[in-house]
Amino acid sequence: MVPASAVETPGVPSSVLDEIRSGALEKAGAEEVIEWGFERFAPRIALSASFGSPEGLVILDMMHRIDPGRTRVFTIDTGRLYQQTYNLIDRVRDRYDIEVEIYFPDPERVQKMVREWGMNLFYESTENRRLCCQVRKVEPLDRALADLDAWIAGLRPDQGVTRADVQSVEIDEIHGGRIKLNPLASWSHEDVWSYVRSHEVPVNALHGQGYPSVGCAPCTRAIEEGEDARAGRWWWENPENRECGLHVAYEGHGSGI
Ligand code: SF4
């Protein structure tokens, strides 16, 4: 992610860029950031929710309270998710009476990848793990973003070293200069769970079993008391590498896949 002042963004009105560059939105509350996004981008704005962290569900609940008709949410089914995550997707569909826009990886790319590198390639090296994330997550995300001008994510700075610089509103250069909203950028872990409890937001059942963050089943484990919240994701790698590529840019091998 680059500072908003460093790039020009085709397709986004200069008045919107000026608002972002002024920094005023960094002082706005979460609901204000969502309303700002709705007013400028709907219907070409949607929430990206993993259904494996409470943050996305909190934002979805807020979006729905602000304007159900403008509430769009998409997710990526990597093919390796927990049953509890699928259960939650259906609970959310029922609770909010909305369509969850689900994207799948390209089956031919998955097939080629696992034939060449094995079903559990991600444990072999960071390079292999990033290849799997590229095929199963990053490429479907690119398709999900294709008809959007702005997207919303649940990133917070205290989620790990890879997210320390998160801002409420950013120009997402790695995704074509789209606008990316992180309405919870100033929220703490306690703020998130307080909202979940007070609004009875549905969350992943695995959070109650020691999983603060739920991703793909082979790449997620429960954490011990006192461990960092991201310690259960790709735990065999260095903390600096623990992103799937949805929110950061990096090169992976296997360009033919
Ligand atoms: Fe593959 Fe693991 Fe990334 Fe899921 S989290 S896409 S299984 S490497």
Side-chain angles (χ1 to χ4, degrees):
M1 208 64 57
V2 297
S5 58
V7 295
E8 290 296 332
T9 308
V12 178
S14 59
S15 59
V16 172
L17 294 175
D18 288 344
E19 278 186 282
I20 297 170
R21 289 169 179 154
S22 75
L25 289 159
E26 299 310 305
K27 302 185 189 80
E31 285 98 340
E32 284 179 273
V33 170
I34 294 167
E35 286 170 2
W36 180 89
F38 276 168
E39 284 164 15
R40 281 149 189 81
F41 301 109
R44 293 177 59 84
I45 182 170
L47 169 68
S48 169
S50 68
F51 293 83
S53 300
E55 284 83 355
L57 285 311
V58 165
I59 295 170
L60 178 60
D61 189 85
M62 284 182 180
M63 292 168 71
H64 197 260
R65 287 171 191 277
I66 292 168
D67 192 339
R70 289 172 156 177
T71 299
R72 289 182 61 188
V73 56
F74 71 86
T75 196
I76 295 163
D77 180 357
T78 64
R80 303 297 297 253
L81 302 180
Y82 286 95
Q83 182 60 36
Q84 288 88 340
T85 302
Y86 295 118
N87 295 347
L88 177 60
I89 292 171
D90 277 357
R91 280 176 65 203
V92 164
R93 286 180 82 239
D94 294 343
R95 156 108 177 224
Y96 297 102
D97 192 23
I98 56 171
E99 175 190 347
V100 178
E101 300 170 29
I102 299 180
Y103 288 84
F104 294 92
D106 178 338
E108 288 188 12
R109 295 187 75 191
V110 173
Q111 190 170 286
K112 186 174 189 305
M113 176 180 72
V114 298
R115 285 184 183 182
E116 186 168 359
W117 300 97
M119 296 302 290
N120 294 315
L121 72 160
F122 27 79
Y123 296 134
E124 302 297 326
S125 66
T126 298
E127 194 177 34
N128 278 8
R129 198 273 292 166
R130 286 178 170 174
L131 170 63
C132 187
C133 285
Q134 175 72 31
V135 170
R136 293 185 184 273
K137 292 183 174 181
V138 176
E139 188 278 329
L141 174 69
D142 289 343
R143 272 187 279 125
L145 294 181
D147 73 336
L148 299 178
D149 294 328
W151 61 307
I152 307 174
L155 302 189
R156 295 186 300 104
D158 68 5
Q159 287 171 322
V161 293
T162 54
R163 300 182 176 188
D165 297 329
V166 168
Q167 296 181 309
S168 293
V169 183
E170 303 174 329
I171 299 172
D172 185 356
E173 193 183 35
I174 62 171
H175 294 111
R178 287 176 177 78
I179 304 305
K180 184 175 180 184
L181 280 57
N182 302 301
L184 306 187
S186 63
W187 283 38
S188 67
H189 175 80
E190 289 71 28
D191 293 335
V192 173
W193 280 100
S194 174
Y195 188 100
V196 168
R197 285 189 292 272
S198 61
H199 295 82
E200 299 182 335
V201 175
V203 295
N204 198 301
L206 287 173
H207 296 321
Q209 299 174 38
Y211 294 73
S213 167
V214 183
C216 292
C219 300
T220 308
R221 65 163 172 78
I223 63 168
E224 304 292 332
E225 200 170 332
E227 275 191 299
D228 182 85
R230 296 285 290 177
R233 302 292 293 277
W234 308 295
W235 61 92
W236 61 92
E237 294 187 358
N238 292 328
E240 291 77 14
N241 294 333
R242 289 182 195 157
E243 284 290 354
C244 57
L246 298 186
H247 303 292
V248 295
Y250 51 59
E251 297 291 325
H253 75 180
S255 57
I257 293 175

